[in-house]
Coordinates of all heavy atoms in Angstrom, one line a residue:
S1 N 81.1 27.2 157.3 CA 80.8 26.4 156.1 C 80.4 27.2 154.9 O 80.8 26.9 153.8 CB 79.6 25.4 156.4 OG 78.5 26.1 156.8
S2 N 79.7 28.3 155.2 CA 79.4 29.3 154.1 C 80.7 29.9 153.6 O 80.9 30.1 152.4 CB 78.5 30.3 154.6 OG 78.3 31.4 153.7
F3 N 81.6 30.3 154.5 CA 82.9 30.8 154.0 C 83.7 29.8 153.2 O 84.4 30.2 152.3 CB 83.7 31.2 155.3 CG 85.0 31.8 155.0 CD1 85.1 33.0 154.3 CD2 86.2 31.2 155.4 CE1 86.4 33.5 154.0 CE2 87.4 31.7 155.2 CZ 87.5 32.9 154.5
G4 N 83.6 28.5 153.6 CA 84.3 27.5 152.9 C 83.8 27.4 151.4 O 84.7 27.3 150.5
L5 N 82.5 27.5 151.2 CA 82.0 27.5 149.8 C 82.5 28.7 149.0 O 83.0 28.6 147.9 CB 80.5 27.4 149.8 CG 79.8 27.5 148.4 CD1 80.3 26.3 147.5 CD2 78.3 27.4 148.6
S6 N 82.5 29.9 149.7 CA 83.0 31.1 149.1 C 84.5 31.0 148.7 O 84.9 31.4 147.6 CB 82.8 32.3 150.0 OG 81.5 32.4 150.4
T7 N 85.3 30.4 149.5 CA 86.7 30.3 149.2 C 87.0 29.3 148.2 O 88.0 29.5 147.4 CB 87.5 30.0 150.5 OG1 86.9 28.8 151.1 CG2 87.5 31.1 151.5
V8 N 86.3 28.2 148.1 CA 86.5 27.2 147.0 C 86.2 27.9 145.7 O 87.0 27.7 144.7 CB 85.5 26.0 147.2 CG1 85.5 25.2 145.9 CG2 86.0 25.2 148.4
I9 N 85.2 28.7 145.6 CA 84.9 29.4 144.4 C 86.0 30.4 144.1 O 86.4 30.5 142.9 CB 83.5 30.2 144.5 CG1 82.4 29.2 144.7 CG2 83.3 31.1 143.4 CD1 81.1 29.9 145.1
A10 N 86.5 31.1 145.1 CA 87.6 32.0 144.9 C 88.8 31.4 144.3 O 89.5 31.9 143.5 CB 87.9 32.8 146.2
V11 N 89.2 30.2 144.8 CA 90.4 29.5 144.4 C 90.2 29.0 142.9 O 91.1 29.1 142.1 CB 90.7 28.3 145.3 CG1 91.8 27.4 144.7 CG2 91.1 28.7 146.7
V12 N 89.0 28.5 142.6 CA 88.8 28.1 141.2 C 88.9 29.2 140.3 O 89.6 29.1 139.2 CB 87.4 27.4 141.1 CG1 87.0 27.2 139.6 CG2 87.3 26.1 141.9
F13 N 88.3 30.4 140.6 CA 88.5 31.6 139.8 C 89.9 32.0 139.7 O 90.4 32.5 138.7 CB 87.6 32.7 140.4 CG 86.1 32.5 140.1 CD1 85.2 33.1 140.9 CD2 85.7 31.8 139.0 CE1 83.8 33.0 140.6 CE2 84.4 31.6 138.7 CZ 83.4 32.2 139.5
S14 N 90.7 31.9 140.8 CA 92.1 32.2 140.8 C 92.9 31.4 139.8 O 93.8 31.9 139.2 CB 92.7 32.1 142.2 OG 92.1 32.9 143.2
L15 N 92.6 30.1 139.7 CA 93.2 29.3 138.8 C 92.9 29.7 137.3 O 93.8 29.8 136.5 CB 92.8 27.8 139.0 CG 93.4 27.0 140.1 CD1 92.8 25.6 140.2 CD2 94.9 26.9 139.9
I16 N 91.6 30.0 137.1 CA 91.2 30.5 135.8 C 92.0 31.8 135.5 O 92.4 32.0 134.3 CB 89.7 30.7 135.7 CG1 89.0 29.4 135.9 CG2 89.3 31.4 134.4 CD1 87.5 29.5 136.0
G17 N 92.1 32.7 136.5 CA 92.8 33.9 136.3 C 94.2 33.7 135.9 O 94.8 34.4 135.0
A18 N 94.9 32.8 136.6 CA 96.3 32.5 136.3 C 96.5 31.9 135.0 O 97.5 32.2 134.2 CB 96.9 31.7 137.4
I19 N 95.7 30.9 134.6 CA 95.9 30.1 133.4 C 95.3 30.7 132.1 O 95.7 30.4 131.0 CB 95.3 28.7 133.6 CG1 96.2 28.0 134.7 CG2 95.4 27.8 132.4 CD1 95.6 26.7 135.2
V20 N 94.2 31.5 132.3 CA 93.5 32.0 131.1 C 93.8 33.5 131.0 O 94.2 34.0 129.9 CB 92.0 31.7 131.2 CG1 91.3 32.4 130.0 CG2 91.7 30.2 131.3
I21 N 93.5 34.3 132.1 CA 93.6 35.7 131.9 C 95.0 36.2 131.9 O 95.4 37.1 131.1 CB 92.9 36.4 133.1 CG1 91.4 35.9 133.3 CG2 92.8 37.9 132.9 CD1 90.6 36.0 132.0
M22 N 95.9 35.6 132.7 CA 97.3 36.1 132.7 C 98.0 35.9 131.3 O 98.6 36.8 130.8 CB 98.1 35.3 133.7 CG 98.2 36.0 135.1 SD 98.9 37.6 135.0 CE 100.7 37.3 134.9
P23 N 97.8 34.8 130.6 CA 98.4 34.7 129.2 C 97.8 35.8 128.3 O 98.6 36.3 127.4 CB 97.9 33.3 128.7 CG 97.8 32.5 130.0 CD 97.3 33.5 131.0
A24 N 96.5 36.1 128.4 CA 95.9 37.2 127.6 C 96.6 38.5 127.9 O 96.9 39.3 127.0 CB 94.4 37.2 127.8
V25 N 96.8 38.8 129.1 CA 97.4 40.1 129.5 C 98.8 40.1 129.1 O 99.3 41.2 128.6 CB 97.3 40.3 131.1 CG1 98.0 41.5 131.5 CG2 95.8 40.3 131.5
L26 N 99.6 39.0 129.3 CA 101.0 39.0 128.9 C 101.1 39.1 127.3 O 102.1 39.7 126.8 CB 101.7 37.7 129.4 CG 101.8 37.6 130.9 CD1 102.3 36.2 131.2 CD2 102.8 38.6 131.4

């Protein structure tokens, strides 16, 4: 269950990275 919370956070950050950080880098 602890790992579950960690992975949910990781996925949300992954979305932010793809939608926000990637456009900035490109």
Side-chain angles (χ1 to χ4, degrees):
S1 59
S2 172
F3 179 63
L5 179 56
S6 302
T7 51
V8 168
I9 294 170
V11 171
V12 172
F13 284 156
S14 297
L15 283 176
I16 295 173
I19 294 171
V20 177
I21 308 304
M22 269 301 284
V25 175
L26 292 172

